[in-house]
Amino acid sequence: MHLQTVGTPLLWISFTLIVLALLAIDLGVFHRKAHVVRFKEAMGWTIVWIVLSLLFNLWVYDHFGPQKGLEFLTGYLIEKALSVDNIFVFIVIFAYFAVPRVYQHRVLFWGVIGALVLRGIFIWVGAALLQQFHWVIYVFGALLVATGIKLLFQSEENVQPERNPIYRLARRFIPAVSEYHGQSFTVVRDGRRFVTPLFLVLIAVEASDVLFAVDSIPAIFAITNDPFIVYTSNVCAILGLRALYFVLADIMDKFHFLKIGLALVLLFVGAKMLISTFYKIPIGVSLAVVASLLTLSIAASLFWPKKTPPEHPSS
């Protein structure tokens, strides 16, 4: 598979520096002091990140043409949709470790920083594999199909953060204290430095993102063979993940059909990869299919709300 990219070294560096500057402003100015992120604030930041991403999308469209513009938009939409499943896992992790809501934004912020680095590495490795070994595209496609099938039948109770191998390895070899110390990730006791539970939560968040990246990055490679478009659409989507978490955390259970929609998206892009040698589905069709599946799953969740079991009066 021959990979062509519009991303010159200067573009890669400039984009990354702009992202780091935005994150520095976010943490250093707007979230310098730990506080509970309310719905109104989270919604405002969600809109800001979406608008910035769409403005960058317009820039891509203007500089590199409609094909690249559609590739970015489709990749961004797929990654944004898959990040909703990340949010459910984050909810489980924070609940399991009883993370105070006031410190959750800090964990997610540094989680995004780690995700930017790890996903950049994943994309570079994935692009190198696709460049050298065409058959890897079938491995990616089969992985997405298998993940889609698994997601269709996976129950929410299957998420067990304490069983994650990366978390368990860290818990075994990193000395830790058992109580939170404000928003600090480490604390010094008797001249020794220990990590706090907040740092272990960060490891659990990063470990879960690694697993999600295994699905989401091949999904975007199914849309475009341009590593720069894969990277920028991925980064733009996860930049708004923290704000989106605080928007959806309390209402996630209302979108009970969304998991089915996400599973069907993975099945579609996986099949797109598997048949790519024989037939290339146009990018416009891919965007329409992905958008339709997500819209229908959200609409179905609203029209047919999840039934809650009746409460039995206490005797």
Side-chain angles (χ1 to χ4, degrees):
M1 183 179 184
H2 182 60
L3 300 182
Q4 294 180 332
T5 181
V6 297
T8 63
L10 180 60
L11 272 181
W12 283 85
I13 294 171
S14 299
F15 178 82
T16 303
L17 288 177
I18 290 172
V19 168
L20 292 177
L22 290 173
L23 289 173
I25 293 171
D26 185 346
L27 185 65
V29 177
F30 295 101
H31 296 96
R32 179 182 298 177
K33 297 179 66 175
H35 65 279
V36 176
V37 179
R38 304 295 182 186
F39 179 85
K40 185 177 179 180
E41 178 187 355
M43 179 59 76
W45 275 107
T46 298
I47 294 171
V48 166
W49 290 117
I50 291 175
V51 169
L52 289 175
S53 299
L54 293 180
L55 287 175
F56 181 77
N57 189 189
L58 287 175
W59 182 85
V60 171
Y61 184 97
D62 181 63
H63 281 70
F64 305 115
Q67 176 70 17
K68 293 298 181 183
L70 280 176
E71 288 176 3
F72 177 91
L73 183 59
T74 307
Y76 174 76
L77 181 61
I78 289 175
E79 179 59 36
K80 200 72 173 176
L82 293 176
S83 69
V84 173
D85 217 31
N86 291 44
I87 289 174
F88 169 74
V89 175
F90 295 161
I91 293 171
V92 173
I93 290 173
F94 287 151
Y96 177 83
F97 292 102
V99 181
R101 196 175 178 91
V102 68
Y103 304 133
Q104 291 177 6
H105 181 275
R106 180 173 172 82
V107 173
L108 293 176
F109 176 88
W110 290 106
V112 165
I113 295 292
L116 293 178
V117 175
L118 291 173
R119 290 183 181 226
I121 295 171
F122 276 27
I123 290 168
W124 181 81
V125 171
L129 288 173
L130 288 171
Q131 179 76 30
Q132 297 296 324
F133 308 104
H134 176 74
W135 53 265
V136 172
I137 195 171
Y138 302 118
V139 175
F140 282 177
L143 176 66
L144 292 175
V145 170
T147 304
I149 293 172
K150 179 182 176 182
L151 193 59
L152 277 176
F153 300 101
Q154 184 183 47
S155 65
E156 296 178 353
E157 289 75 17
N158 285 343
V159 181
Q160 296 174 301
E162 77 281 4
R163 299 184 63 180
N164 186 287
I166 299 177
Y167 169 79
R168 291 171 67 182
L169 189 66
R171 188 70 181 88
R172 175 174 296 183
F173 292 103
I174 300 177
V177 295
S178 58
E179 65 277 355
Y180 289 101
H181 286 260
Q183 61 177 354
S184 299
F185 288 122
T186 63
V187 64
V188 176
R189 282 188 178 177
D190 299 325
R192 291 186 62 197
R193 186 168 294 277
F194 296 84
V195 300
T196 67
L198 205 64
F199 184 80
L200 297 176
V201 172
L202 177 61
I203 290 178
V205 167
E206 292 287 10
S208 67
D209 186 73
V210 168
L211 298 178
F212 280 110
V214 172
D215 300 331
S216 63
I217 290 174
I220 303 180
F221 269 118
I223 300 301
T224 177
N225 62 358
D226 189 327
F228 182 72
I229 299 297
V230 175
Y231 177 69
T232 53
S233 60
N234 209 278
V235 168
C236 285
I238 64 175
L239 278 176
L241 183 58
R242 293 157 299 140
L244 191 60
Y245 166 83
F246 292 105
V247 170
L248 298 179
D250 296 327
I251 58 174
M252 274 292 289
D253 60 334
K254 295 183 183 296
F255 301 109
H256 54 288
F257 284 120
L258 186 57
K259 188 175 286 288
I260 296 175
L262 295 175
L264 294 177
V265 167
L266 289 176
L267 289 171
F268 169 73
V269 294
K272 185 178 189 294
M273 271 191 153
L274 292 174
I275 67 172
S276 60
T277 302
F278 312 101
Y279 177 72
K280 293 187 180 298
I281 299 175
I283 187 66
V285 174
S286 297
L287 177 59
V289 170
V290 171
S292 298
L293 288 173
L294 296 175
T295 301
L296 288 173
S297 62
I298 292 173
S301 300
L302 297 176
F303 279 113
W304 294 286
K306 192 175 184 179
K307 293 181 179 179
T308 55
E311 295 184 1
H312 298 286
S314 56
S315 55

